[in-house]
Amino acid sequence: MTYLPPPAEELRFLDAELRRLDAHRAQLLARRAWLVSVLQSAAPGPAAPPFTGPAPATVPRPEASAPRVQNVLLVLGGVLLTIAAMAFTLVSWGHLGIAGRAAVLGTVTAAALAAPVPLLRRGLRSTAESVAGLGLALTVLDAYALYEAALADTDGTAYAAVAATVLAGAWAAYGTALGALRLPRPAALAAAQLPLLLTALAADAGPYGISAALLLTATADAAAALLVTSPALRPVRITAAIGAYGTGGWGLLGALWLSWTAPGPGAAARAAALLLPASAVAVTAAWRTAGTAAPGTTGATSTTGVTGTTGSAGATSTTGPTHAPAAPGTPSPALPTLPAQSLTTTLPTATALLGILVLLAALGGVLRVTLPGGWAVPGELLGALALLAALRVPGMPERVRLGVAWASAAVQGIALLWALPLVAVALFGPFGWADRPWSGRPADARDAVTVHAPWLSHSGPALAVLGLLAGALALLVRNAAWRPRALAGAAVLAWAAALSLPAALELPYVAGLLVLGLLTAAVLALPVLPPTGTVLALVTSVDLAFLALADRTATLTVLSALTVLYAAASTRPRFAPLTAPAALTFATALACATGAAAGWQAPHTALLVLVVPAVAVAVAPRLATTARGACEVTGVVAALVAVGLAVTDAPVLALVLSSLGVLAAATAVRPDRRSAGYAAAALFALAAWVRLAAWEVTAPEAYTLPVTVPALLVGTWRRRRDPLTGSWAAYGPGLAMTLLPSLAALWRDEGWPRPLLLGSAALLVTLLGARHRLRAPLVLGGAVLVLTALHELAPYLVQFADALPRWVPPALAGLLLLALGATYERRLRDVRRVRDVLGRMS
């Protein structure tokens, strides 16, 4: 089928479209003239006459163009004729004799193949394409009929291979003879995909032979796609490209499976012999497609050009894509030769990537069966790194260079993932000592990290992979923008290798601790990206601290060394935000370990832990702003650890809380930490309460008065400094702290001293509130005084209520409601007056 109609038909179609456009243009011009007249007569006057232009065209626009209708009809006709021929061959064949069969098939096939000649002379190319397609389908039926009639005893697969070869050659010759037809030559190329595969199947060549047949067929397709450069043969190029990728993909899958499952060097070498030529073909195809360009399109250095027919690697294209000239007698194309430019930019890169990966897969298959113990992965990685040297080959197109780089990066990433389990065991293995501290020194560093995890058998190759990747990043990346990141990545990989080295080499336990300690110090001083080095040092030190839990002496020594190391590093401002909290953290762990080693109980160890928050309070003001907050937070965490250790001993807990109150008060002296004063007051109150609880004091006043008195003094001082401060903010918390707990205890107390003292205190507070016109003392004191009086009168009220008749309470309630209703307005006025009086108080 063709994509365009014959010249005569296309000319008729264009004339009809031009006539329709002229009519529509005349209508629009008339409408425009009427609108102009309306605008010009917008001033007061007679209305504009109605539009009397030509009536709009009523001819509906066709939904399908004539060429498309023609192509649909021709395709349907060809398909129906092909179906009819198949039905005749498969069903009605037996009703004819030998002569009849030959005459029918021969006549129909010859007529179908000869009919395109007069049709082309009359300019009916689309009809000729349809009839030619029918003729090609009839030749397939002829081959099937010949096999069923005369060669049924032969091998069907071998016959199919021969028939496919003959048909491919015949269709190619037919298409060459009738060059105006576009269908026969792509069909011949499609038939050519089968002979080698069918021959291999007929010969029982096995998986190697089948893969070789598929790869050879794909190679021929790639050669056809690269060598066919005429724009008129574009369908042949497309068919060849599809065949190369499709057939080659199946062949590559088979060869890769053979390489992966090869039992020995011989089998791996045979699989590599299949993969290496395929890799060469893919790289060559990528080079050619990236290094050639059609006239007017971009060349090798382009990123948006269209792959064409001519050009050379490294050529610079002209601006803007143009179309290749059409062959004589061919209508001018209405669409670009290659409409999808993105395909041209990505296809060479993807093909080069595929070719390089196939090459590395062949190398890996051979190394897998020749090198023991996982050393094939470092060998594969060396091959991937060696490919980076190919990027400097002169004349290599940029797209091919990009594909090679991506292939090398992919292999490096896979090798890194393969080596990460070793790093995971070395990094997380020491955490297993958390549930068995000081249980005994292990035999070596490997036993120290395999408390709950098995050791990996490929530790040596994994270390080699980490070293190779670190060296590649440090030495090969020279771009100024990427150089710092590459150095940081190299530092991380080198750190991972050094962290895994003691366990991989089975160094003695002490030697392993020493190596990790030196690694911590070295990484901490790493000049490349200080944040990265500091984080790596912290991770190493945590790993070292857990690893040292196996032995008491090692624990104390390691924690002491880490505390000193991070304290010294905190003198450098760029390290302080991380190292200062780390020093305090290790100091807290050291204090706990020291108490445990000395045999102290946990509450006594808490007194030693208090040194850490004291140091944090003293050191934080001297640090930079970025490190000050982290240091203080770490001090607070250490204080919580001390409280948790002392919680089982009330006297020691009271001492710890009071000490922390002193530290909070010392912090509140600083202008930027005034809010710590509230924490200091709370800590002092808690300390006092814990002390009283230890003395078995049950009176709530013993707990509340020590808080009330300072709170009232602070409130008085605050009102003197700021007279606008309200009484609720100044005196409310202090008064409520004593009055309310005492009032709650009063209702459970049957003695007389507490009511007398509480009532006297409430009366005094009420009088002071009335004297100084303060709302909080007046309300709190009055409420407590009334409730205290009710508590004292409650027994008498109960006796009085029991002596009254049952009808008296309802009668009294009714009289009260009547009295309230009669004086409702006056009572509301009195209530508002009381509210105003209280409102004027402070």
Side-chain angles (χ1 to χ4, degrees):
M1 299 299 297
T2 62
Y3 296 97
L4 298 170
E9 180 66 24
E10 184 178 7
L11 182 60
R12 287 193 296 272
F13 175 75
L14 292 178
D15 290 338
E17 287 292 319
L18 289 174
R19 286 192 296 271
R20 186 180 65 81
L21 291 176
D22 289 337
H24 188 59
R25 184 173 183 274
Q27 176 192 357
L28 293 178
L29 289 175
R31 177 67 178 178
R32 179 182 181 278
W34 179 79
L35 292 174
V36 170
S37 64
V38 169
L39 294 176
Q40 290 176 351
S41 61
F51 175 71
T52 58
T58 58
V59 179
R61 184 178 181 180
E63 297 182 358
S65 62
R68 291 186 178 182
V69 174
Q70 165 194 295
N71 290 338
V72 170
L73 294 177
L74 292 176
V75 169
L76 289 176
V79 169
L80 292 176
L81 288 176
T82 303
I83 293 175
M86 292 176 61
F88 169 78
T89 305
L90 298 176
V91 178
S92 302
W93 179 259
H95 300 289
L96 299 175
I98 298 297
R101 300 172 187 174
V104 171
L105 281 177
T107 302
V108 174
T109 303
L113 294 177
V117 177
L119 292 175
L120 290 175
R121 291 176 181 174
R122 295 177 177 271
L124 303 176
R125 292 185 56 183
S126 298
T127 306
E129 293 281 2
S130 298
V131 177
L134 174 63
L136 298 181
L138 288 175
T139 56
V140 177
L141 296 177
D142 289 341
Y144 170 75
L146 178 62
Y147 175 77
E148 289 292 335
L151 302 174
D153 296 334
T154 60
D155 185 9
T157 306
Y159 176 80
V162 174
T165 304
V166 173
L167 289 177
W171 291 353
Y174 180 72
T176 304
L178 300 178
L181 297 178
R182 297 189 177 185
L183 181 61
R185 280 173 288 194
L189 193 58
Q193 309 300 310
L194 300 176
L196 290 179
L197 175 61
L198 294 175
T199 301
L201 292 174
D204 196 12
Y208 288 94
I210 294 174
S211 299
L214 291 173
L215 292 175
L216 285 175
T217 304
T219 302
D221 291 334
L226 294 174
L227 296 177
V228 175
T229 59
S230 174
L233 298 179
R234 183 174 175 236
V236 176
R237 293 185 61 192
I238 295 176
T239 305
I242 295 174
Y245 283 102
T247 308
W250 285 108
L252 283 178
L253 288 177
L256 290 173
W257 176 255
L258 293 174
S259 178
W260 181 260
T261 59
R270 290 196 298 272
L274 296 175
L275 293 174
L276 292 178
S279 172
V281 170
V283 174
T284 302
W287 194 303
R288 287 289 302 270
T289 55
T292 60
T297 60
T298 55
T301 59
S302 171
T303 59
T304 60
V306 179
T307 303
T309 57
T310 61
S312 60
T316 304
S317 70
T318 59
T319 58
T322 58
H323 309 309
T330 304
S332 301
L335 296 174
T337 305
L338 288 178
Q341 294 184 356
S342 60
L343 180 65
T344 307
T345 60
T346 57
L347 192 60
T349 301
T351 306
L353 172 64
L354 176 64
I356 298 302
L357 288 179
V358 169
L359 173 64
L360 294 175
L363 175 63
V366 175
L367 294 177
R368 183 182 61 84
V369 296
T370 55
L371 296 179
W375 284 98
V377 177
E380 184 86 356
L381 180 59
L382 283 175
L385 294 176
L387 282 175
L388 296 177
L391 299 179
R392 303 182 181 277
V393 173
M396 176 180 288
E398 184 65 27
R399 292 294 166 184
V400 176
R401 184 178 288 110
L402 185 61
V404 174
W406 276 111
S408 179
V411 174
Q412 294 177 46
I414 294 173
L416 177 60
L417 292 178
W418 180 81
L420 283 182
L422 173 67
V423 182
V425 172
L427 182 61
F428 299 106
F431 290 95
W433 292 102
D435 60 350
R436 54 176 71 181
W438 300 349
S439 58
R441 180 178 298 183
D444 52 41
R446 181 174 295 182
D447 291 339
V449 299
T450 55
V451 181
H452 296 300
W455 185 249
L456 303 177
S457 59
H458 57 271
S459 57
L463 284 177
V465 167
L466 294 174
L468 288 173
L469 290 175
L473 285 176
L475 299 177
L476 299 181
V477 179
R478 295 297 181 182
N479 184 275
W482 288 93
R483 180 68 175 170
R485 303 177 188 178
L487 292 178
V492 172
L493 292 173
W495 166 81
L499 184 70
S500 309
L501 187 63
L505 299 180
E506 296 185 84
L507 296 178
Y509 174 69
V510 177
L513 295 179
L514 182 60
V515 170
L516 292 184
L518 294 176
L519 178 62
T520 302
V523 174
L524 190 61
L526 194 67
V528 180
L529 293 180
T532 303
T534 307
V535 172
L536 294 180
L538 290 175
V539 174
T540 310
S541 59
V542 172
D543 204 50
L544 175 60
F546 276 94
L547 198 64
L549 286 177
D551 183 70
R552 177 182 305 176
T553 304
T555 301
L556 296 176
T557 303
V558 167
L559 291 178
S560 301
L562 292 176
T563 303
V564 173
L565 175 63
Y566 282 106
S570 299
T571 58
R572 306 176 68 179
R574 64 177 183 176
F575 292 150
L578 293 177
T579 56
L584 295 176
T585 302
F586 287 118
T588 304
L590 177 61
C592 297
T594 302
W600 295 352
Q601 295 181 355
H604 299 118
T605 304
L607 299 176
L608 185 60
V609 176
L610 285 177
V611 176
V612 178
V615 173
V617 170
V619 171
R622 295 174 174 81
L623 296 176
T625 305
T626 56
R628 189 177 305 160
C631 182
E632 292 173 343
V633 170
T634 309
V636 172
V637 174
L640 294 177
V641 172
V643 172
L645 293 173
V647 73
T648 58
D649 192 333
V652 177
L653 179 60
L655 179 59
V656 170
L657 291 173
S658 59
S659 302
L660 293 176
V662 172
L663 295 177
T667 304
V669 174
R670 293 160 47 192
D672 58 336
R673 292 293 186 267
R674 296 298 188 193
S675 58
Y678 298 103
L683 289 170
F684 282 131
L686 288 175
W689 293 349
V690 171
R691 183 72 262 182
L692 292 172
W695 287 338
E696 299 182 355
V697 176
T698 57
E701 291 79 8
Y703 297 88
T704 57
L705 285 175
V707 179
T708 297
V709 174
L712 293 176
L713 294 176
V714 172
T716 304
W717 172 76
R718 183 176 179 183
R719 277 184 62 85
R720 288 183 178 179
R721 294 194 60 183
D722 186 8
L724 297 179
T725 303
S727 62
W728 283 110
Y731 305 117
L735 293 174
M737 181 63 69
T738 294
L739 293 177
L740 297 182
S742 298
L743 182 63
L746 175 66
W747 292 91
R748 299 190 304 270
D749 190 358
E750 297 179 357
W752 61 270
R754 187 187 301 275
L756 179 60
L757 294 175
L758 181 59
S760 301
L763 178 60
L764 178 60
V765 169
T766 304
L767 294 176
L768 290 175
R771 171 67 178 82
H772 297 284
R773 302 173 61 86
L774 299 175
R775 186 185 306 174
L778 183 61
V779 173
L780 287 175
V784 173
L785 181 59
V786 172
L787 293 175
T788 303
L790 289 176
H791 173 268
E792 293 303 309
L793 294 176
Y796 303 102
L797 294 176
V798 171
Q799 293 177 4
F800 179 73
D802 292 338
L804 289 177
R806 298 295 182 100
W807 55 268
V808 173
L812 292 177
L815 292 174
L816 177 63
L817 292 176
L818 289 175
L820 289 176
T823 59
Y824 183 75
E825 184 177 359
R826 184 165 56 87
R827 298 302 180 189
L828 285 179
R829 186 174 62 250
D830 295 339
V831 170
R832 295 192 189 99
R833 187 176 301 165
V834 172
R835 184 189 63 184
D836 295 338
V837 171
L838 290 176
R840 288 193 295 270
M841 295 182 180
S842 60

